[in-house]
Amino acid sequence: MTTKIFIATHKEYKMPQSPVYIPVWVGAAINPNKSDSFSSDNTGDNISEKNPSYNELSALYWGWKNVDADIKGLAHYRRYIGDKKNIHDYSNLLEEQIIDLLADNDVILTPSKKFYVIDSYTHYIKSQKEMETTHKNDLDTLYKIMGQLHPEYQPALKKVYQSKKVHMLNMFIMKKELFNKYCEWLFSILSEMEKSINRYRVLGAMGEFLLDTYIITNQLKFIEKPIIELERVSFFKKVK
């Protein structure tokens, strides 16, 4: 079985030397300084020009539409799904373990982000104080669109909003059939939301609420594996 993990990057960076991992320069259609050593998200069927709003999801879209593999996933240039805890380098990448993990699970994820005091809805709204009203409109619009397009997913989205732990970062690994179904569903929602809200980074952020929504509604079995942070943020900065 072939496995391809798409690495979303917007700058030159040391990349894994493995055929499993494909670095993808995001926003290549609007970035004249893209690297020729990486794949670009502006080839084939793509949404490269929309990267400022979709962020790493333009790499996901490119991999969905243009790369054939039995297993697909998404990583960031400085974040990956790893095998063991507290090893933050390329020696800890998931590779041959992926097939065995997906034999018993539908999805491989990083650990959920825990908010402890507030729920994910409130966390997003208050992430930038000057944007509280705007951010509330983002989430309320997403909920409304879900009701229009996929009402059976609305209860799960509400549950994600109310939860104090959510799988963030849009990072996951799935078998091709499920990957294709998820991307079809995800981008149908985001493309509709784009008609009314197309602000910097907003659609990528909405994707973070949609992954768990899809998993909950479809009762998918998942396994959490450690995250590799190549540029780790200090504990005190995270708390702040």
Side-chain angles (χ1 to χ4, degrees):
M1 297 181 75
T2 55
T3 301
K4 297 297 179 185
I5 311 298
F6 309 109
I7 307 169
T9 185
H10 62 275
K11 65 179 183 179
E12 292 280 0
Y13 206 83
K14 181 181 178 182
M15 294 292 175
Q17 299 302 301
S18 165
V20 168
Y21 290 87
I22 302 179
V24 182
W25 194 282
V26 295
I30 54 177
N31 187 346
N33 299 316
K34 68 180 181 68
S35 171
D36 292 332
S37 60
F38 301 152
S39 297
S40 298
D41 72 347
N42 65 334
T43 60
D45 188 349
N46 70 85
I47 56 170
S48 181
E49 291 185 354
K50 300 178 181 181
N51 171 261
S53 182
Y54 279 84
N55 306 130
E56 66 272 3
L57 294 181
S58 68
L60 180 68
Y61 186 97
W62 180 85
W64 170 40
K65 291 293 188 178
N66 298 288
V67 177
D68 185 32
D70 300 303
I71 297 169
K72 296 183 181 182
L74 183 67
H76 301 182
Y77 70 94
R78 57 195 175 99
R79 297 188 186 98
Y80 299 84
I81 302 178
D83 187 33
K84 298 179 175 62
K85 291 183 178 179
N86 301 319
I87 301 177
H88 297 277
D89 59 48
Y90 292 139
S91 69
N92 194 29
L93 290 174
L94 284 185
E95 290 192 53
E96 63 272 7
Q97 311 97 314
I98 292 173
I99 294 175
D100 289 339
L101 290 171
L102 288 180
D104 299 318
N105 299 279
D106 299 304
V107 191
I108 303 172
L109 300 169
T110 59
S112 58
K113 181 176 178 62
K114 298 175 177 63
F115 300 113
Y116 297 105
V117 178
I118 57 178
D119 56 35
S120 68
Y121 183 96
T122 306
H123 177 269
Y124 179 75
I125 290 173
K126 294 185 176 297
S127 60
Q128 291 176 274
K129 186 170 180 56
E130 69 278 9
M131 296 281 283
E132 284 187 20
T133 301
T134 301
H135 281 173
K136 184 178 187 304
N137 185 51
D138 294 344
L139 296 180
D140 292 350
T141 299
L142 178 62
Y143 188 79
K144 180 181 177 181
I145 289 172
M146 187 68 77
Q148 295 169 346
L149 297 182
H150 305 285
E152 70 276 19
Y153 285 87
Q154 256 191 330
L157 180 58
K158 185 176 182 179
K159 185 175 181 179
V160 172
Y161 283 173
Q162 295 172 339
S163 178
K164 293 181 180 177
K165 61 176 186 177
V166 180
H167 293 101
M168 308 298 283
L169 304 174
N170 290 312
M171 290 173 57
F172 62 88
I173 303 172
M174 302 174 180
K175 289 183 179 178
K176 179 171 64 175
E177 182 178 0
L178 180 59
F179 181 96
N180 290 342
K181 288 180 180 178
Y182 174 65
C183 287
E184 185 73 44
W185 176 86
L186 172 69
F187 288 106
S188 72
I189 296 166
L190 296 182
S191 62
E192 184 63 28
M193 188 169 181
E194 181 187 344
K195 296 175 183 177
S196 56
I197 299 177
N198 193 22
R199 198 176 66 255
Y200 179 67
R201 299 187 67 85
V202 68
L203 297 176
M206 295 301 97
E208 295 183 289
F209 290 93
L210 292 173
L211 180 57
D212 276 352
T213 300
Y214 192 84
I215 290 171
I216 292 168
T217 302
N218 292 286
Q219 299 182 318
L220 301 181
K221 185 178 180 182
F222 64 86
I223 183 170
E224 294 180 342
K225 297 294 288 182
I227 188 170
I228 298 173
E229 295 267 14
L230 298 178
E231 297 178 8
R232 301 180 70 190
V233 178
S234 72
F235 172 77
F236 296 104
K237 186 174 287 187
K238 284 183 178 180
V239 170
K240 183 178 179 180

